[in-house]
Amino acid sequence: MAKANTVFTCQSCGAVHPKWSGRCDACGEWNTLVEETSSAAPGGLAAPKSSSRKAGKAEFTTLNAVEDAPTRHLIGVDELDRVFGGGVVPSSATLIGGDPGIGKSTLLLQVAARLARNGLSTVYVSGEEAAAQIQDRARRLKVSESPVELATETDLRKVMSALKSANPDFVVIDSIQTMWSDSLEAAPGSVAQVRACAQELTRWAKKSGAALILVGHVTKEGQIAGPRVVEHMVDTVFYFEGERGHQFRILRAVKNRFGPTDEIGIFEMHQYGLAPAREPSALFLSNEDETSGGTAVFAAMEGSRPVLAEVQALVAASAYGTPRRSIVGWDTNRLAMVLAVLEARCGVSLAGRDVYLSVAGGYRMAEPAGDLAAAAALLTSLADRPPPEKSVFFGEVALSGAIRPVARMDQRLKEARRLGFKSAFVPEGSTGSFEGLTVKPLSRLSDLVDLIGPDPEP
């Protein structure tokens, strides 16, 4: 028997090295190379002999051929159906990642129970918890009577045998890092094992017609652990986000072959599990009547949904030689850019002051349209006076000081009017007319400084 060759695989990025090194040349991480055998085919499974296969050829079709759209299984929860693109698609594989304890298992157990009550054959496989723990959670969530088949197993061979025997319509694997294949010598959770198990389960889902959901662990940077090739294997990748100190959770789509890739579903964590948020904007807005400066409401867009969030800022005299910059919920580089534009283009001096900026409710501003709201919060804090009553802000700030238009301005304004806001500071270019909402277009950031900023120094 030929001797199996060994390679060293990075457990962070999946790069393969011929010899061990303290640092991975591909991603730069230290102490992540683990020795693995290379006798298996890509994906970790033994390569079939060519003589055992009959030669064939691929079938081609044309671009104008009409194929029937896949029939979806509606979950019955608007927030989930929105993110999936209209329901769960048969013969699909979905990867869901999130921080430990954020509620992934709770959400998927609720989904499995609802689909089982709708008449689908549902299987829940857990490699992390005992059956008693899952059954206790089901009783707490009041879904213990749902006909969900439960298994606690980590051996991929046994799991595949059970799935082929049961032939379910919907399967949850919690989690893919706990599965292991005896065809590999690598330890469970390693790059080779994760890749091999994900490939085998995805191949089975495509052939059997079942909808498969894989739960994935995340790294300290918030990315799904293991090689990125796993994300390419599946059809859909979701991230389950949220702060433990807040009651809301966000299910965000970052890849979806059957629907939009920028939709989110917002949920509230309750005593009996996760429930869809009835008024998402209310989760990120303060109920207090602000009488001091340092706040501004940002009209954001999450996919096709407008969401209003509150930006809070504090500008104070620095007690040390180097001013401090502390940011929660926004990009540090964008704050530095806005501060530079305020000083260079608008004459607002912030160089010797500490700046603290936070987005309320644990929301994260990811789009450039939040620049204007952050600038408004900074200016009102520096002037120590509140912003105009019931006002919203959105717009991208350019390095020249110009306010650039952003997408879907009319939808943002409609949401602000629906929630009772009276004025909106926006880039020039909005074409809609909104009864009860005064739209104030701005062409440059200096216009905002003149309206709400600090009085000029004599």
Side-chain angles (χ1 to χ4, degrees):
M1 180 180 295
K3 181 180 179 180
N5 296 325
T6 60
V7 294
F8 295 86
T9 307
C10 176
Q11 304 303 296
S12 178
C13 67
V16 177
H17 301 261
K19 61 181 181 179
W20 186 88
S21 176
R23 182 174 181 269
C24 174
D25 296 333
C27 65
E29 294 292 331
W30 290 88
N31 299 323
T32 57
L33 300 189
V34 174
E35 184 177 3
E36 297 177 352
T37 60
S38 61
S39 58
L45 303 178
K49 296 181 180 179
S50 58
S51 59
S52 62
R53 280 188 168 183
K54 293 183 179 180
K57 60 181 180 179
E59 297 182 1
F60 295 97
T61 184
T62 59
L63 293 178
N64 59 359
V66 179
E67 297 287 345
D68 294 333
T71 303
R72 297 175 181 266
H73 302 309
L74 287 177
I75 302 173
V77 179
D78 292 340
E79 296 297 312
L80 284 170
D81 289 330
R82 171 199 297 269
V83 180
F84 275 94
V88 180
V89 179
S91 300
S92 66
T94 300
L95 180 63
I96 295 182
D99 293 329
I102 203 67
K104 301 185 298 297
S105 299
T106 298
L107 176 67
L108 293 177
L109 185 59
Q110 289 180 278
V111 171
R114 181 175 287 271
L115 289 175
R117 290 197 300 268
N118 292 343
L120 296 183
S121 175
T122 305
V123 169
Y124 189 100
V125 180
S126 176
E128 299 184 344
E129 298 177 286
Q133 293 176 283
I134 302 173
Q135 292 164 350
D136 182 65
R137 181 185 296 120
R139 286 189 289 269
R140 177 172 57 85
L141 299 177
K142 300 186 182 300
V143 297
S144 58
E145 300 302 321
S146 300
V148 177
E149 297 186 70
L150 175 65
T152 55
E153 182 58 63
T154 59
D155 188 344
L156 180 65
R157 190 181 298 274
K158 294 181 180 179
V159 171
M160 293 301 302
S161 177
L163 292 178
K164 292 176 182 178
S165 175
N167 194 25
D169 300 314
F170 182 79
V171 179
V172 176
I173 304 293
D174 186 10
S175 65
I176 188 60
Q177 274 85 4
T178 61
M179 296 291 117
W180 65 276
S181 172
D182 56 8
S183 63
L184 293 176
E185 297 181 3
S190 63
V191 169
Q193 287 284 5
V194 171
R195 183 171 52 215
C197 294
Q199 183 180 20
E200 184 71 9
L201 288 166
T202 301
R203 186 188 301 121
W204 169 82
K206 298 293 183 182
K207 291 182 178 179
S208 66
L212 172 69
I213 292 187
L214 306 175
V215 178
H217 296 165
V218 296
T219 62
K220 61 182 180 181
E221 290 82 14
Q223 303 296 320
I224 294 178
R228 299 304 295 268
V229 68
V230 175
E231 297 188 21
H232 298 301
M233 290 179 185
V234 298
D235 302 302
T236 309
V237 179
F238 295 152
Y239 280 93
F240 203 44
E241 305 171 352
E243 300 288 341
R244 290 194 179 188
H246 297 92
Q247 63 178 353
F248 81 94
R249 301 290 188 269
I250 294 178
L251 184 65
R252 186 184 305 275
V254 296
K255 173 187 175 182
N256 193 346
R257 290 173 177 163
F258 308 109
T261 58
D262 53 0
E263 288 288 0
I264 65 168
I266 303 179
F267 303 87
E268 293 183 82
M269 179 65 77
H270 295 293
Q271 176 181 353
Y272 300 110
L274 289 158
R278 296 183 179 179
E279 190 62 72
S281 294
L283 298 174
F284 309 114
L285 294 177
S286 173
N287 295 325
E288 300 179 0
D289 184 17
E290 296 290 347
T291 58
S292 60
T295 61
V297 176
F298 167 47
M301 286 298 301
E302 292 288 354
S304 61
R305 159 185 286 165
V307 176
L308 269 60
E310 184 179 279
V311 183
Q312 302 172 349
L314 176 62
V315 179
S318 178
Y320 305 98
T322 303
R324 184 173 181 181
R325 305 286 187 258
S326 180
I327 304 98
V328 176
W330 202 35
D331 184 38
T332 305
N333 295 325
R334 294 206 72 87
L335 175 63
M337 185 200 73
V338 171
L339 294 177
V341 173
L342 284 172
E343 184 146 0
R345 305 297 184 185
C346 305
V348 179
S349 179
L350 295 167
R353 297 176 181 269
D354 292 336
V355 175
Y356 302 88
L357 190 139
S358 174
V359 185
Y363 182 78
R364 292 194 61 85
M365 291 196 304
E367 56 176 333
D371 294 349
L372 195 62
L378 293 168
L379 291 171
T380 56
S381 176
L382 185 62
D384 195 19
R385 58 171 174 255
E389 184 182 5
K390 291 290 184 179
S391 58
V392 297
F393 303 81
F394 61 86
E396 180 182 356
V397 176
L399 291 178
S400 62
I403 306 299
R404 297 176 57 85
V406 296
R408 300 179 179 178
M409 291 196 288
D410 289 352
Q411 289 181 258
R412 302 173 197 257
L413 294 173
K414 288 179 182 178
E415 178 72 4
R417 183 191 62 178
R418 187 183 70 83
L419 294 177
F421 285 85
K422 299 178 180 179
S423 60
F425 296 83
V426 304
E428 290 183 334
S430 177
T431 58
S433 177
F434 305 91
E435 183 180 354
L437 181 67
T438 302
V439 179
K440 300 179 180 180
L442 304 174
S443 61
R444 302 190 63 81
L445 188 57
S446 56
D447 298 336
L448 181 68
V449 176
D450 295 338
L451 290 171
I452 68 172
D455 298 327
E457 298 182 1

